[in-house]
Amino acid sequence: MSTPPVNDRPPATAALDPIQYEIIRNRLLAVTEEMRIALQSVSGSPTVTEASDFFTGLYLPDGEFATMGFQVAHEAPPVGALIRHINANRREPRPGDMYIGNDPYVGALHQNDVQMTGPIFDGDRLVAWAGVMAHETDVGGMNFASWCPTATEVYQEGLRIPAVKLIDQGELRDDVLEMIVSASRLPAALGLDIRAFIATVNVATERLHSLFARYGSDVVAEVMRRMITTTERRTRARLAALPDGQVHVRDFLEHDGHANRLYAVDLVATKSGDRLTLDFGGSSPQAPGFINATRAGLRGGVTGALIPTLGFQLAWNEGLLRPVDIVAPDGLVCTARHPAPVGSATVETIWTVTNVVQRALNLLLACSPKHAARGQAVSSGTMATFNLGGINQFGERFGLHSLDPLAGGSGAFTSHDGIDAGGPVAVPVPAIADVESNEQVSPLLYLYRRLRPDTAGAGTRRGGHSGEMGLTLRGVTGANALVMTHGAEVPNSVGLFGGWPGATVRQRFAPGAAGSEEDLLREYLAGTEPSSWRELGPKPGEFAMRPGDLFAVSWQGGGGWGDPLSRAPEDVAVDVRRGVVSAAYAEEVYGVVLVEGAVDEERSHARRLAVRTERLGAPPVAEPDAGAPGQSLGPALRLVRTDDGDIEVRTTAGAVLSRGSTRWRSGAVSRRVDPAGHHIRLHDELAMTAHYCPLSGELLSVDVHRRGEEPLEELLLHS
């Protein structure tokens, strides 16, 4: 179809036709997808080409994002922060300009997340910006891969670029590019990705110019603004349908790179009418090590949970954030002051921020009659980072940032199980590279990459099981691995309403376990494991690997939903037949006894009764009733209004746990529990408490909290 002449454009003052709006809106979404295709077509990094650690989107002139892709939701606000920095510093962009940045104290999440943005003009009028961002394997710093566990300030963590013009009116500034890539241990890889960024912005610019020519830039700009305001209006309506009140949740991360100290990300979410306030003021002070996040990281972490959790059936853009206030003083682990180190922010504090926001929002959704079916437990609560670098068999420097740890389990839903290896909620369409691709670009040999049994958070609906992998080297004399995580001693993938958390991360290393690839493969195929395994803990940092050494890691499973004893026995039997649940775990945790793969109903009934009796210290005297009256507060609790106008929280078995308030835990039977049978390891400063219905013994909640402190009363709903 030919492009209409300029004088056929709709006048700027004309009302926007609804059909035309939908056509342009969908075209803008398609442009964002074309940006992704351009990025992946030019980049040579498996992080981009096959995995999903990147972002593309279109922005208004003021930095609000109008569209985004389906990769890392954390990364939508940071490019907007870069645009606002450019605007605030009177850079006066011109057609053909492109700016590059990666400074977490300007707007990036951490230094590895390199950003680029370019203004899109119609004549001399700035209409929009195109933005792209991706994780780069190395941007300098003390350690390979720019994760620097021993860093004490941001200056040690690699090159920081605040907002530098790399393309000046269409001309590449070679000197600036040379300065940037020379800081990296992998200059060719970084340089190629930067050229992929340029191609991505060029594609967006060309496509929008075509839209300007066809419809007029005023119309396209109005569509972008309307996309945001429409999402804002629908988000406010969605918030209004949730109950008013407060949700207080807390998650932890261990080890700051220097010492195994415990840090809390504390959230008080207050929902009132069509607004939501997220107050992180109770979080721990900033750390001396690299786990901190800047305020840009805090906003990114909130966005990573808010968009996929609250934004179902909505267009994902800045409109989801407009009704949300983020409150926190400076100097916290989630609002670190310069020059605090922040190199691992994305996989530490930012990830933990996403966990607490996801949990708080799902508690509110579960208590809403309209949206209760959307409830989900926490997904894949951490990312256990593995990087490998050195000299390959060709005498060239190589580097790999493994995204395999995205294969943690997703959280259970109200109506169905979580997805095995489903990944984190902040990555809506997660992807990891094929084993063969990673082996092709690095001297790795995978012994296995598979699901790990018994790692899903147990529940009426279980979480997704986590993946695990075992690696060694081949073709080189040695390389340096850099390994770190949180969640080895904190179960971050918490369950809801009696569901258990998923298993914690386990990292192990066996030096010199075998002499050849053939020996290793033979031993593993025979089911033999080396006797020299040593537990690495959360942050072993950088260490040497040689052929014959083995590194093994399993990730966190997804949180469960509801009491495991309420799970359908046949569903448990199916999981055992699939090999993702062991028969011993089925009997111990789910109370399901199998004989030759089939459910023994009589013995299973007796086992479940014995577990409930053990919980209460006496036999239960009532059974849960799913049809119990009142407003649902999850599967086992009901909010009931009494004849005198007061409120009570009751279990579905009829036990009254609280009156006049939704603080129900004081009325439950509460006991400390040992999580070892769930493949959960706890930090020395943590404990777990389970709460049971005093009549039926039904599990109501499993709480992780500091030793010496009572579990939080999560829900305080307004009557």
Side-chain angles (χ1 to χ4, degrees), residues 546-566:
R546 297 169 300 175
D549 294 346
L550 300 183
F551 171 73
V553 57
S554 60
W555 307 300
Q556 287 197 3
W561 184 284
D563 187 349
L565 296 187
S566 299

Side-chain angles (χ1 to χ4, degrees), residues 463-674:
H465 290 89
S466 81
E468 64 175 351
M469 66 180 181
L471 306 170
T472 189
L473 298 185
R474 63 175 178 179
V476 294
T477 58
N480 287 330
L482 194 144
V483 175
M484 61 187 200
T485 191
H486 73 271
E489 299 172 349
V490 179
N492 304 100
S493 301
V494 297
L496 292 179
F497 303 112
W500 272 81
T504 49
V505 172
R506 188 182 186 192
Q507 302 183 134
R508 297 181 294 162
F509 184 69
S516 68
E517 296 174 21
E518 292 77 11
D519 291 338
L520 288 171
L521 291 171
R522 191 178 301 111
E523 288 182 10
Y524 269 89
L525 289 172
T528 303
E529 291 213 3
S531 60
S532 56
W533 280 125
R534 71 169 187 260
E535 300 291 336
L536 293 179
K539 292 185 176 66
E542 191 172 25
F543 57 88
M545 279 189 71
R546 297 169 300 175
D549 294 346
L550 300 183
F551 171 73
V553 57
S554 60
W555 307 300
Q556 287 197 3
W561 184 284
D563 187 349
L565 296 187
S566 299
R567 184 166 176 79
E570 185 53 38
D571 289 345
V572 179
V574 168
D575 283 341
V576 173
R577 288 195 289 270
R578 287 180 57 216
V580 293
V581 171
S582 66
Y585 193 81
E587 182 172 344
E588 180 68 23
V589 175
Y590 288 102
V592 174
V593 181
L594 302 176
V595 177
E596 297 182 350
V599 177
D600 186 319
E601 295 185 5
E602 183 176 345
R603 291 172 64 188
S604 296
H605 176 77
R607 169 62 185 159
R608 288 184 164 186
L609 179 61
V611 172
R612 287 197 171 99
T613 300
E614 181 182 357
R615 290 171 174 179
L616 298 177
V621 297
E623 289 294 323
D625 176 10
Q631 177 187 338
S632 175
L633 303 180
L637 299 175
R638 298 291 183 268
L639 179 64
V640 178
R641 296 193 177 277
T642 61
D643 293 339
D644 59 3
D646 208 346
I647 59 170
E648 292 180 345
V649 175
R650 302 175 186 171
T651 68
T652 55
V656 177
L657 303 185
S658 66
R659 290 188 176 90
S661 168
T662 54
R663 294 186 174 96
W664 58 264
R665 280 171 173 76
S666 60
V669 174
S670 302
R671 299 186 188 281
R672 291 286 180 90
V673 290
D674 180 1

Side-chain angles (χ1 to χ4, degrees), residues 79 98-100 114-118 130-132 166 194 197-198 201:
V79 176
M98 295 185 198
Y99 296 84
I100 190 168
V114 178
Q115 315 159 288
M116 182 173 285
T117 187
V132 58
L166 181 63
I194 290 174
F197 295 170
I198 296 170
V201 175

Side-chain angles (χ1 to χ4, degrees), residues 233-247:
R233 182 179 70 253
R234 292 175 177 173
T235 302
R236 291 184 182 278
R238 182 155 294 163
L239 285 170
L242 302 182
D244 285 349
Q246 284 188 341
V247 181

Side-chain angles (χ1 to χ4, degrees), residues 93-98 119-125 167-170 209:
R94 296 171 294 185
D97 288 350
M98 295 185 198
I120 303 175
F121 285 83
D122 183 27
D124 59 358
R125 177 194 175 202
I167 306 293
D168 190 353
Q169 294 183 283
H209 281 161

